[in-house]
């Protein structure tokens, strides 16, 4: 450890700690680590002794470990025995002895364009400091930091923002998270690492001209990648995008790195990277894009060996069924999406499903998280039976499952069998795939899609489709027609964005057209290629269809029951939203408002305000916290193999203030 002096002359001790010294910029740099490209260090204020401890984060990565062992003389075993109780004493007790936080170093430009460093003070996200404690914490640190450095307080959660509302920003200058990081130059979207050839496209036309030649060893960079981007080694966006966009869901499912690199032009020009072989590493702590001395020896990616096995589709004649009559076992007849929505109806109606499994898992040194769940649900004690009942009732009060009907695979099969031209087109496409004649696959797909869209639906099938929603057709109500294939919403193959939905349907003719459009999307060039890459045969793939009445929404979005950029984080749920339809979140037409909600200790924080340019009202953010907890609870039931496997949930908030869940599927991790 290098010895350094604070302004009061206090040396850095051998264990990487300064106690009681003033903090200068040189001392800060000596002790700081780096997170997301910014130097930072941890601080502990001891109110009982009117002093503070400045920690070298490389030696003391956890505040509580330092306080327990170095200040209070406890052993780690004693700390672990009551970790949650100890955390509550330092993060939630209004009379706490210690104030814990992080100081990070940032910079902006002054009026003359000169770089100006400043410090930001914040607590952990679970901290419940009152406004008075936050003001005391800020004042203590302000008095011991080099006065030439501006110091701003960053509220760590929505509760702290509310607590500071009555505190003058003259006494406590502050900055919000989205203000601090909204213009971050580099942002992790999906962690990962790749070696490949950088292909940088500055316009959509450049990309379209080269798209057919892109291969698995390419790293594709452009302003905003299109949803139909092929499977490659990595993605780079040069403009902001949400981690819940279709392209990032694909990156997550494919296990490839994806990031926002807004200074790519400068980097490519300086290092001559366009077309060069590069090492690309994406982590929350930082992003590396560096030239390689020579073309590396590359092994084919693991997805070349990936094979998705489908259950045998049931093609026997089956009726149109209301969604509430389906269960998850009906996926082989009506598709995964419809079956999951039917299962959601069952969960909400029966209230007997155990939705606490996620919280029952050991999180060392904790044996379970039942005490935290009890706090979130407002129940007395952590009795498992009481928690199961409270969880089921909370979910049933918070969300609704959509009404609608599901069309079976047998309708699709009957339609295909009714047309010799369609059958001939399918035969040619199968032959091309078997021979790997990929130069003709796309034209064959496009021709087959045209045939499907313009072939009449057999009369008996058409009568059953239009007869499924007679009242809506008679009244002219707006309908939504969605895909429900047996080759989507699967673990390892989400198929995000590759099949069509039609949201502006009115009348019987438009309904039949929309059903054919959804059927046709099963043979789009992109969907055929992606299924072929994971071994899903054209013979095994069928399309069910969901028909629903349109629900108008004041707010819509997507949540995933994990933190996409920090996979080890079991606390947080990531939620995106925008006025109206959730499709705007996933298709990238707008940059949504983005939030993280802690479903263990509670609380939430704003990550970005997006295109809206402002945050949602506090009352709306509070109801979104309820939705986030509901998503976490549903994860216990819908994550079939492992309760830690995240869900991807699309939702709407109606004008009446009711949440409607319109899709539940595994989130590729």
């Amino acid at each position: 450890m290098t010895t350094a002096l604070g302004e009061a002359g206090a040396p850095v001790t051998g264990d990487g700690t300064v106690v009681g010294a003033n903090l200068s910029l040189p001392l800060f740099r000596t002790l700081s680590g780096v997170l997301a490209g910014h130097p930072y260090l941890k601080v502990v204020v001891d109110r009982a002794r009117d002093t503070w401890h400045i920690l070298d984060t490389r030696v003391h990565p956890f505040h509580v470990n330092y306080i327990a062992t170095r200040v209070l003389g406890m052993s780690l075993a004693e700390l672990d025995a009551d970790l949650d109780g100890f955390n509550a004493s330092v993060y939630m007790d209004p009379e706490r002895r210690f104030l814990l936080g992080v100081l990070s170093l940032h910079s902006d430009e002054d009026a003359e364009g000169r770089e100006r460093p400043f410090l930001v003070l914040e607590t952990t996200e679970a901290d419940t400091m009152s406004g008075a404690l936050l003001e005391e914490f800020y004042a203590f640190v302000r008095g011991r930091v080099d006065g030439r450095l501006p110091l701003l307080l960053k509220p760590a959660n929505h509760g702290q923002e509310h607590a500071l509302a009555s505190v003058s920003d003259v006494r406590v200058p502050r900055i919000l998270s989205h203000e601090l990081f909204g213009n971050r130059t580099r942002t992790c979207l999906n962690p990962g690492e790749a070696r490949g050839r950088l292909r940088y496209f500055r316009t959509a036309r450049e990309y379209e001209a080269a798209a057919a030649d892109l291969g698995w060893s390419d790293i594709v960079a452009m302003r905003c990648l299109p949803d139909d981007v092929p499977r490659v080694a990595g993605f780079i966006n040069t403009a902001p995008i949400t981690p819940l966009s279709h392209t990032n869901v694909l990156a997550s499912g494919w296990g490839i790195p994806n990031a926002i690199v807004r200074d790519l032009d400068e980097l490519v020009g300086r290092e001559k990277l366009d077309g060069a072989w590069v090492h690309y590493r994406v982590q929350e702590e930082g992003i590396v894009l560096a030239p390689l001395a020579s073309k590396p020896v590359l092994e084919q990616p693991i997805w070349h060996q990936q094979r998705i096995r489908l259950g045998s589709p049931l093609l026997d004649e089956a009726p149109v069924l209301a969604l509430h009559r389906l269960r998850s076992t009906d996926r082989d007849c009506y598709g995964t999406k419809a079956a999951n929505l039917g299962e959601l109806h069952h969960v909400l109606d029966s209230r007997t499903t155990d939705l606490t499994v996620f919280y029952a898992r050991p999180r060392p040194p904790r044996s379970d998280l039942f005490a935290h769940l009890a706090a979130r649900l407002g129940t007395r004690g952590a009795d498992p039976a009481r928690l199961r009942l409270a969880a089921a009732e909370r979910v049933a009060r918070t969300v609704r499952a959509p009404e609608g009907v599901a069309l079976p695979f047998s309708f699709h099969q009957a339609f295909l069998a009714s047309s010799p031209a369609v059958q001939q087109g399918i035969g040619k496409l199968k032959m091309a795939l078997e021979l790997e004649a990929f130069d003709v696959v796309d034209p064959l797909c496009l021709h087959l899609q045209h045939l499907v869209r313009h072939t009449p639906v057999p009369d008996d099938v058409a009568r059953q489709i239009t007869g499924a929603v007679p009242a809506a057709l008679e009244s002219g109500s707006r309908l939504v027609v969605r895909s429900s294939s047996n080759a989507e919403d699967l673990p390892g193959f989400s198929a995000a964005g590759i099949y069509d939905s039609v949201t502006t349907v009115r009348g019987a003719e438009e309904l039949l057209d929309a059903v054919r459009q959804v059927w046709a999307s099963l043979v789009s060039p992109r969907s055929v290629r992606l299924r072929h890459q994971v071994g899903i045969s054209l013979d095994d793939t069928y399309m069910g269809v969901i028909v629903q009445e349109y629900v108008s929404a004041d707010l819509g979005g997507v949540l995933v029951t994990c933190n996409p950029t920090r996979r080890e984080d079991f606390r947080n749920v990531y939620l995106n939203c925008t006025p109206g339809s959730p499709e705007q979140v996933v298709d990238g037409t707008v940059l949504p408002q983005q939030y993280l909600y802690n479903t263990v200790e509670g609380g939430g924080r704003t990550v970005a305000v997006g295109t809206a340019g402002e945050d949602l009202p506090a009352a709306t953010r509070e109801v979104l916290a309820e939705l986030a907890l509901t998503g976490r609870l549903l994860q216990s039931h819908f994550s079939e193999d492992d309760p830690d496997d995240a869900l991807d949930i699309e939702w709407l908030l109606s004008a009446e203030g009711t949440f409607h869940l319109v899709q539940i599927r595994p989130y590729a991790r």
Side-chain angles (χ1 to χ4, degrees), residues 346-468:
H346 168 74
V347 169
L348 299 182
D349 293 342
S350 70
R351 305 192 185 190
T352 59
T353 304
D354 183 3
L355 301 179
T356 68
V357 179
F358 174 88
Y359 290 88
R361 297 201 74 171
R363 312 285 175 178
R366 306 167 183 85
S367 59
D368 57 58
L369 296 176
F370 280 156
H372 290 286
L373 179 58
R376 303 285 71 73
L377 296 174
T379 64
R380 291 184 178 179
D383 174 66
R386 180 179 295 174
L387 287 176
R388 284 195 291 271
L389 178 60
E393 291 180 344
R394 175 67 66 88
V395 169
R397 288 199 306 269
T398 304
V399 299
R400 301 286 182 272
E403 301 296 335
V405 298
L407 312 183
F409 295 159
S410 58
F411 283 15
H412 184 210
Q413 167 66 2
F415 169 78
L416 297 176
S418 72
S419 170
V422 170
Q423 289 293 306
Q424 185 181 35
I426 292 172
K428 290 180 178 179
L429 179 57
K430 287 166 56 179
M431 181 66 71
L433 291 170
E434 289 171 8
L435 297 175
E436 297 189 346
F438 297 120
D439 57 328
V440 299
V441 165
D442 284 11
L444 288 173
C445 287
L446 293 172
H447 176 65
L448 187 52
Q449 282 192 284
H450 177 81
L451 287 175
V452 170
R453 288 193 183 109
H454 294 88
T455 296
V457 179
D459 290 344
D460 59 330
V461 174
R463 281 194 297 273
Q464 292 183 76
I465 293 173
T466 56

Side-chain angles (χ1 to χ4, degrees), residues 40-374:
Y40 79 106
L41 52 76
K42 295 179 182 292
V43 298
V44 174
V45 170
D46 187 342
R47 302 172 73 204
R49 296 184 177 178
D50 193 31
T51 191
W52 71 332
H53 302 246
I54 306 169
L55 313 184
D56 183 336
T57 56
R58 291 158 292 195
V59 180
H60 304 293
F62 301 107
H63 288 97
V64 292
N65 287 18
Y66 175 82
I67 295 171
T69 61
R70 301 302 177 92
V71 181
L72 301 179
M74 299 170 60
S75 69
L76 285 177
E78 289 173 321
L79 173 64
D80 287 348
D82 186 28
L83 181 60
D84 286 330
F86 192 90
N87 281 340
S89 74
V90 295
Y91 293 127
M92 300 169 191
D93 186 347
E95 303 300 325
R96 67 189 76 173
R97 170 180 170 180
F98 300 103
L99 305 179
L100 283 56
V102 172
L103 272 171
S104 55
L105 181 63
H106 302 260
S107 64
D108 58 12
E109 292 183 352
D110 62 18
E112 284 73 39
R114 293 171 300 198
E115 185 178 23
R116 180 180 61 178
F118 65 95
L119 291 172
V120 172
L121 175 66
E122 62 182 304
T123 72
T124 66
E125 65 181 44
D127 200 298
T128 60
M129 279 192 201
S130 65
L133 273 182
L134 288 166
E135 184 174 0
E136 178 186 337
F137 190 27
Y138 175 86
F140 190 102
V141 175
R142 174 69 281 176
R144 289 157 179 82
V145 169
D146 187 336
R148 293 168 295 181
L149 284 172
L151 175 67
L152 303 175
L153 179 71
K154 180 166 81 67
N157 50 52
H158 293 148
Q160 289 188 3
E161 288 181 31
H162 178 72
L164 282 168
S166 60
V167 178
S168 166
D169 58 7
V170 175
R171 295 201 308 270
V172 182
R174 68 205 68 167
I175 188 169
L176 300 179
S177 180
H178 65 83
E179 295 170 335
L180 183 62
F181 297 118
N183 294 316
R184 181 184 287 174
T185 302
R186 300 182 185 181
T187 304
C188 167
L189 293 173
N190 193 61
E193 190 167 6
R195 285 173 169 78
R197 182 178 54 160
L198 181 64
R199 306 290 300 277
Y200 181 23
F201 303 108
R202 291 163 179 81
T203 67
R205 180 173 295 181
E206 285 183 13
Y207 167 81
E208 291 162 2
D213 296 325
L214 293 174
W216 59 266
S217 61
D218 290 322
I219 296 169
V220 179
M222 57 190 302
R223 178 176 174 79
C224 186
L225 283 88
D227 282 354
D228 64 355
V229 63
R231 227 168 175 171
V232 291
F235 295 158
I236 300 175
N237 302 266
T238 62
I241 193 170
T242 169
L244 302 190
S245 67
H246 275 151
T247 51
N248 199 53
V249 171
L250 291 174
S252 179
W254 295 342
I256 63 174
N258 187 18
I260 300 168
V261 182
R262 299 173 75 168
D263 62 342
L264 187 65
D265 258 329
E266 175 187 341
L267 188 61
V268 165
R270 185 175 67 245
E271 303 287 347
K272 298 182 172 55
L273 295 182
D274 197 3
W277 292 92
V278 298
H279 176 210
Y280 179 39
R281 185 175 72 242
V282 176
Q283 299 173 312
E284 192 180 35
E285 292 76 18
I287 295 162
V288 173
L289 188 64
L292 296 171
S294 59
K295 178 180 177 180
V297 177
L298 299 174
E299 296 181 0
Q300 285 190 333
I302 193 170
W303 56 262
H304 268 263
Q305 290 79 43
Q306 181 185 11
R307 290 295 178 265
I308 302 296
R309 298 188 180 279
L310 301 181
S312 298
L314 300 179
L315 302 177
D316 296 338
E317 199 168 306
V320 178
L321 283 183
L323 289 175
H324 70 262
R325 295 182 59 188
L326 298 178
R327 294 293 302 275
S328 60
T329 50
D330 291 312
R331 65 188 58 177
D332 294 333
C333 189
Y334 294 89
T336 312
K337 189 179 298 182
N340 282 350
L341 291 177
E343 188 70 16
L344 176 62
H345 274 279
H346 168 74
V347 169
L348 299 182
D349 293 342
S350 70
R351 305 192 185 190
T352 59
T353 304
D354 183 3
L355 301 179
T356 68
V357 179
F358 174 88
Y359 290 88
R361 297 201 74 171
R363 312 285 175 178
R366 306 167 183 85
S367 59
D368 57 58
L369 296 176
F370 280 156
H372 290 286
L373 179 58

